[in-house]
Amino acid sequence: MIDLNDTNLPRIPSKCRVTLLALGDVGSTLLTGLRLMGGDVIDSIGICDVRPGVSERWEFELNQIQSPDGAALPPVDIIAPEQLFDGDVFLFCASRMIPDTSVTAGDVRMAQYGLNRELVSIYARMARDRRYRGLFCVVSDPVDPLCRAVLTESNRAPNGEMDYQGLFSHQVRGFGLGVMNARAAYYARKDPRFASFLTEGRSFGPHGEDLVIANSIRNYDDALSRQLTEQAVRANLRMRELGFKPYIAPALSSGALSLLLCLRGQWHCSSTYLDGVFMGARNRVLPTGTELERLPLPRQLQDRLQITMDRLRAID
């Protein structure tokens, strides 16, 4: 929980200036969702991509989306990299390596960690140099370890020592758990054994192998919960087996929909800083800080969560 006396809490205005880096499959889909659904909380969206013509394409396309009833949609404009931290919310959607569809086994998300850690560190240091005080939101995989890298590298001085002059922990937030929750719900709707998840279930942890799904908080069944967890974790591999990259549901469930709930101060799934790691859980942002959902958790579920936190902590 954020210290209520902390005067450095990020201030989210009623209408935000959002900036978004990288318009690949995830970034462009997320951008589309924000343009269509974010008019109540987003004032404008600045987009940046280092590839020639990409930003121009999406500015041209997105600003031609208009509602027949004349409803206001947040305008999209092109910005330079040095303008990424001029807004209230920064979305990191960049990636240096995305495995192609031939990869259908293993933790595809963690395979991207090394190169993406180097990339996100560049922007973490940029946020530090700009003394950025908005939200730094990570959407790229692996979401949760990259959040920790952002916090660490933004607080590292040029000489390599930690001076803690960068981002505050509560400025960094990861958006990866939303789709894992949605995938669990997808399987729960298809299999009556998991039906309790739809009304009593919860999702915790990272967008990856160490996900923790609880079939029910009231009547927790460890075996059923682990089966549902396995199905949610492997859903991205099922899409790859069909020959497609699994990016639409993540960009919308974890990205656009969860971010908009966050900006509206409503309950949603995202990763926040907890005991040295970034851990996904249901939470909401209030003027006084982040409120995590408080629930009585059965011992078996607590043990699973502790294992997940220990594994996240072990990632360098």
Side-chain angles (χ1 to χ4, degrees):
M1 296 293 289
I2 294 176
D3 183 353
L4 301 186
N5 296 316
D6 189 346
T7 59
N8 294 298
L9 292 173
R11 303 302 177 190
I12 302 177
S14 58
K15 284 279 191 125
C16 296
R17 166 66 168 173
V18 174
T19 59
L20 188 154
L21 174 67
L23 295 159
D25 291 337
V26 171
S28 59
T29 305
L30 170 55
L31 172 64
T32 303
L34 296 181
R35 163 81 171 167
L36 290 174
M37 300 181 289
D40 62 320
V41 288
I42 297 177
D43 179 65
S44 62
I45 307 170
I47 58 173
C48 178
D49 195 293
V50 298
R51 296 169 298 168
V54 173
S55 294
E56 288 77 8
R57 174 204 175 184
W58 287 103
E59 185 278 333
F60 192 62
E61 289 271 35
L62 269 293
N63 286 321
Q64 293 177 41
I65 298 174
Q66 299 292 333
S67 174
D69 65 1
L73 304 179
V76 176
D77 59 279
I78 300 170
I79 59 174
E82 55 268 24
Q83 297 174 290
L84 284 167
F85 295 101
D86 289 344
D88 306 298
V89 179
F90 167 64
L91 301 177
F92 180 83
C93 301
S95 181
R96 279 184 171 163
M97 191 277 282
I98 300 175
D100 64 31
T101 55
S102 65
V103 179
T104 58
D107 193 338
V108 178
R109 305 173 189 93
M110 282 305 298
Q112 304 174 59
Y113 179 51
L115 291 175
N116 283 352
R117 190 188 195 287
E118 294 176 5
L119 184 59
V120 81
S121 296
I122 294 171
Y123 293 94
R125 289 189 287 270
M126 188 184 296
R128 168 195 171 94
D129 292 342
R130 293 295 305 274
R131 302 190 65 81
Y132 180 61
R133 288 297 175 258
L135 291 178
F136 191 122
C137 300
V138 176
V139 183
S140 300
D141 279 327
V143 171
D144 310 83
L146 289 182
C147 285
R148 191 178 181 191
V150 167
L151 182 62
T152 300
E153 296 307 318
S154 77
N155 283 285
R156 194 186 302 277
N159 64 6
E161 296 182 1
M162 300 297 294
D163 64 359
Y164 303 100
Q165 297 299 306
L167 296 170
F168 293 92
S169 60
H170 46 268
Q171 288 180 261
V172 183
R173 186 173 290 263
F175 288 89
L177 184 59
V179 73
M180 307 308 273
N181 186 78
R183 285 168 174 164
Y186 171 84
Y187 288 112
R189 284 190 292 269
K190 286 182 169 293
D191 190 333
R193 294 178 304 150
F194 305 130
S196 61
F197 177 82
L198 299 173
T199 54
E200 302 173 7
R202 290 293 186 276
S203 302
F204 303 95
H207 180 230
E209 293 283 350
D210 293 315
L211 174 72
V212 175
I213 299 291
N215 74 302
S216 170
I217 295 298
R218 297 178 183 176
N219 300 289
Y220 179 73
D221 185 309
D222 193 62
L224 280 178
S225 294
R226 290 177 184 272
Q227 291 177 43
L228 186 54
T229 299
E230 180 71 9
Q231 293 199 44
V233 168
R234 300 298 173 199
N236 69 318
L237 299 180
R238 302 291 82 79
M239 181 60 71
R240 287 176 171 275
E241 290 169 357
L242 293 174
F244 301 96
K245 293 180 181 178
Y247 67 86
I248 297 175
L252 296 175
S253 289
S254 289
L257 292 166
S258 294
L259 175 66
L260 292 174
L261 288 174
C262 175
L263 297 182
R264 292 169 183 143
Q266 297 174 356
W267 292 104
H268 68 284
C269 292
S270 64
S271 296
T272 59
Y273 191 70
L274 181 64
D275 194 22
V277 300
F278 281 84
M279 182 76 170
R282 196 163 181 260
N283 68 87
R284 61 180 175 177
V285 178
L286 302 176
T288 50
T290 298
E291 179 185 8
L292 291 170
E293 184 179 43
R294 295 179 179 272
L295 296 169
L297 303 180
R299 172 52 58 185
Q300 284 179 302
L301 180 55
Q302 291 183 44
D303 291 343
R304 290 180 67 196
L305 293 173
Q306 187 60 58
I307 291 171
T308 285
M309 292 195 70
D310 291 343
R311 287 177 177 170
L312 286 171
R313 193 173 288 112
I315 298 173
D316 185 9

